[in-house]
């Protein structure tokens, strides 16, 4: 097959505008297309390949677990998944439990159902979820509202929940909503991803934490993009003095394979009862085994620390670049290996910039139309940072 672009348009529903590249293989921090061109991957499959591609330890685990079993259903005790759950709990809460699913949106769905359970249990007149304007928590529709098996949907009378949208960092509005509308929970991304890489103000996060305690609400953090070492700590919230009740994870944890889930603390760990939730594939033993290796590498082999140091260097060099070209770059937001560069360019100009960088062998992402988003792997090398900076500089000077 030669014309992949045409075949793609013919046979795959066009829900995304793709880059004009067909990937043949990947290795380390690089992607290779079918014409043999190499690209430095500063996008990592949308924050998934946190340790780059084909890491030898991940490949070892893939073969080892693959030879044991790929799938067994959740009818049995599943050692790789149990190990992963234990480690996720130990690195977050003093006591807690994990629910596994296959993706980020499913983690959000699980959170909605968990909150519904909480509402039902508490009977305190609190109902609904507060979210922040322009937040992103996934694309499913609440599949359960269409599932008509009484045993499956009946235990969730609260599913037609109200949603309250509040403006970012507005503590007063948040306090008003929480006191007057009586929502049951708040769900936030500690650093908004698709919304343009925006760090929530630390004081705002603390205030959310406080109001959840005062009003007996659940504090849920969506760490689907920020988690798994991307921002320098295992989960981004851990850099603040806050204590969520539910942590959503997905993307990076499976080392490239699909897995997602939620971690609940002592307030939320036992809300689900047998039959309340589940899915056929999760937890995939293969994804879970990879998850354990990802944690080995991040925590025991020091890759999270190395990533933090390289991120520091990357930020410093990018900040210099912003100062050098203030008519193009405005300012940066984000943390660690999750960076949004605000530009003075139009959406078209930013796209053009992205394409030109691609021609130079560097893959960056654009989000919220005009924001250049970098989601580099924690395995990024200093010389690769230098290459990025040099290429951007040359590109600007020659265009
Ligand atoms: C990507 C993402 C999701 C959705 O995850 P999917 O696996 O694409 O369903 C939810 N929340 C955040 C913050 C994300 O970045």
């Amino acid at each position: 097959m030669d014309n992949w672009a045409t075949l793609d348009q013919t046979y795959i529903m066009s829900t995304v505008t793709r880059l004009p590249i067909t990937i043949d293989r990947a290795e380390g921090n690089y992607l290779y297309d079918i014409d043999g061109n190499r690209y430095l991957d500063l996008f990592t499959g949308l924050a998934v390949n946190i340790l780059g591609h084909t890491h030898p330890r991940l490949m070892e685990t893939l073969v080892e677990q693959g030879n044991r079993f790929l799938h067994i259903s959740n009818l049995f005790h599943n050692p790789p998944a149990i190990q992963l759950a234990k480690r996720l709990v130990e690195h977050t809460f003093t006591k807690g439990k994990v629910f596994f699913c296959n993706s980020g949106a499913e983690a959000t769905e699980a959170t909605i159902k968990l909150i519904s359970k909480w509402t039902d249990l508490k009977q305190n007149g609190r109902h609904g979820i507060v979210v922040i304007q322009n937040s992103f928590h996934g694309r499913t529709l609440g599949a359960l509202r269409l599932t008509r098996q009484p045993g499956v949907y009946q235990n969730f009378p609260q599913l037609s929940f109200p949603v309250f949208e509040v403006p970012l960092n507005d503590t007063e509005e948040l306090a008003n909503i929480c006191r007057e509308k009586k929502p049951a929970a708040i769900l936030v991304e500690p650093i908004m991803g698709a919304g343009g890489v925006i760090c929530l103000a630390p004081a705002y996060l603390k205030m959310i934490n406080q109001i959840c305690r005062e009003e007996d609400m659940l504090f849920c953090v969506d760490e689907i993009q920020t988690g798994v070492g991307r921002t320098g700590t295992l989960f981004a919230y851990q850099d603040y003095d806050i204590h969520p009740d539910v942590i959503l994870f997905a993307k990076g944890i499976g080392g490239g394979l699909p897995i997602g889930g939620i971690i609940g603390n002592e307030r939320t760990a036992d809300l689900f009862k047998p039959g309340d939730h589940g899915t056929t594939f999760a937890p995939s033993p293969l994804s879970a085994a990879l998850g354990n290796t990802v944690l080995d590498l991040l925590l025991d082999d020091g890759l999270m620390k190395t990533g933090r140091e390289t991120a520091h260097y990357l930020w410093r060099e990018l900040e210099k670049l912003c100062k050098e070209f203030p008519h193009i770059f405005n300012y940066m937001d984000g943390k660690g290996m999750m960076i949004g560069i605000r530009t003075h360019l139009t959406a078209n100009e930013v796209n053009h910039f992205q394409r030109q960088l691609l021609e130079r062998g560097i893959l960056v992402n654009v989000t919220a139309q005009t924001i250049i988003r970098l989601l580099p792997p924690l395995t990024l090398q200093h010389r690769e940072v230098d290459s990025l900076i040099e290429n951007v500089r040359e590109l600007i000077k020659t265009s």
Side-chain angles (χ1 to χ4, degrees):
M1 299 229 202
D2 37 20
N3 200 338
W4 292 109
T6 310
L7 288 169
D8 189 336
Q9 281 159 22
T10 311
Y11 291 111
I12 295 186
M13 294 191 189
S14 59
T15 55
V16 200
T17 311
R18 280 188 241 289
L19 293 169
I21 287 179
T22 306
I23 300 300
D24 181 44
R25 64 189 182 88
E27 191 182 335
N29 298 334
Y30 295 90
L31 296 165
Y32 296 83
D33 69 14
I34 49 171
D35 302 317
N37 298 309
R38 186 180 90 153
Y39 306 93
L40 176 62
D41 185 4
L42 302 178
F43 177 57
T44 54
L46 225 180
V48 170
N49 308 94
I50 189 95
L51 299 173
H53 303 271
T54 60
H55 191 288
R57 291 272 294 282
L58 289 174
M59 294 304 106
E60 247 171 62
T61 302
L62 193 70
V63 172
E64 207 243 324
Q65 180 58 42
N67 280 320
R68 253 170 227 278
F69 50 88
L70 287 174
H71 174 76
I72 51 171
S73 88
N74 50 29
L75 222 57
F76 305 97
H77 301 297
N78 178 343
I82 296 165
Q83 272 162 355
L84 180 59
K86 177 170 183 281
R87 294 173 80 183
L88 287 172
V89 169
E90 284 172 355
H91 282 99
T92 50
F93 299 136
T94 39
K95 244 181 107 196
K97 289 182 184 176
V98 172
F99 171 82
F100 283 113
C101 53
N102 308 291
S103 68
E106 279 179 73
T108 301
E109 295 258 349
T111 305
I112 296 167
K113 285 180 76 172
L114 197 78
I115 294 167
S116 146
K117 278 284 179 188
W118 169 262
T119 299
D120 224 23
L121 179 84
K122 283 275 170 175
Q123 296 292 336
N124 59 359
R126 293 201 155 268
H127 190 30
I129 305 173
V130 181
V131 289
I132 293 172
Q133 218 165 55
N134 214 17
S135 57
F136 184 85
H137 300 294
R139 295 171 184 269
T140 56
L141 272 179
L144 199 66
R145 282 161 96 162
L146 297 177
T147 298
R148 296 284 100 189
Q149 292 192 326
V152 182
Y153 76 79
Q154 207 165 44
N155 297 342
F156 294 90
Q158 315 288 353
L159 278 182
S160 54
F161 56 93
V163 175
F164 306 101
E165 184 182 315
V166 295
L168 176 64
N169 291 336
D170 185 337
T171 50
E172 215 168 295
E173 176 70 2
L174 181 74
N176 286 342
I177 295 262
C178 291
R179 292 193 181 114
E180 283 159 26
K181 304 283 183 189
K182 304 219 169 296
I186 298 178
L187 172 64
V188 301
E189 302 160 80
I191 301 171
M192 298 175 77
V197 192
I198 303 168
C199 289
L200 270 58
Y204 187 63
L205 282 169
K206 280 192 94 155
M207 192 265 181
I208 295 174
N209 190 79
Q210 191 190 336
I211 206 153
C212 285
R213 291 297 160 270
E214 284 170 9
E215 302 288 318
D216 201 13
M217 295 166 58
L218 292 181
F219 181 13
C220 312
V221 286
D222 180 343
E223 295 263 8
I224 291 166
Q225 190 166 148
T226 48
V228 203
R230 179 155 296 283
T231 67
T233 44
L234 189 59
F235 291 104
Y237 84 87
Q238 293 170 323
D239 212 20
Y240 306 87
D241 183 22
I242 55 174
H243 306 277
D245 301 299
V246 179
I247 303 161
L248 290 69
F249 63 89
K251 291 196 167 124
I253 190 73
L257 286 192
I259 186 167
I262 59 178
I263 317 170
N265 68 1
E266 69 280 358
R267 295 172 92 200
T268 54
D270 293 309
L271 290 170
F272 281 148
K273 305 294 178 210
D276 276 343
H277 201 24
T279 163
T280 303
F281 280 116
S284 156
L286 194 58
S287 305
L290 287 173
N292 282 311
T293 304
V294 166
L295 292 186
D296 286 344
L297 290 165
L298 288 182
L299 303 169
D300 305 340
D301 293 49
L303 285 188
M304 193 158 82
K305 187 164 170 284
T306 317
R308 208 158 45 216
E309 284 159 8
T310 313
H312 197 73
Y313 179 64
L314 174 61
W315 274 83
R316 210 184 62 197
E317 294 304 303
L318 283 172
E319 266 158 6
K320 278 196 233 162
L321 203 64
C322 289
K323 288 216 181 83
E324 196 178 330
F325 303 106
H327 58 294
I328 294 179
F329 303 120
N330 189 356
Y331 68 97
M332 295 165 45
D333 201 349
K335 197 177 251 183
M337 292 296 194
M338 180 173 176
I339 305 171
I341 307 170
R342 301 279 181 298
T343 63
H344 297 296
L345 307 175
T346 63
N348 274 341
E349 287 167 336
V350 170
N351 271 324
H352 185 62
F353 183 81
Q354 182 196 27
R355 299 294 171 110
Q356 284 184 305
L357 263 187
L358 207 55
E359 280 169 22
R360 289 170 168 267
I362 294 175
L363 173 64
V364 301
N365 175 242
V366 176
T367 190
Q369 294 188 358
T370 59
I371 295 162
I372 299 166
R373 176 167 56 174
L374 305 183
L375 296 164
L378 302 189
T379 48
L380 191 71
Q381 303 290 308
H382 280 229
R383 60 184 156 74
E384 291 163 346
V385 173
D386 296 341
S387 159
L388 165 72
I389 302 293
E390 246 344 279
N391 271 287
V392 172
R393 186 175 284 132
E394 274 177 31
L395 181 60
I396 294 172
K397 286 190 169 161
T398 53
S399 56

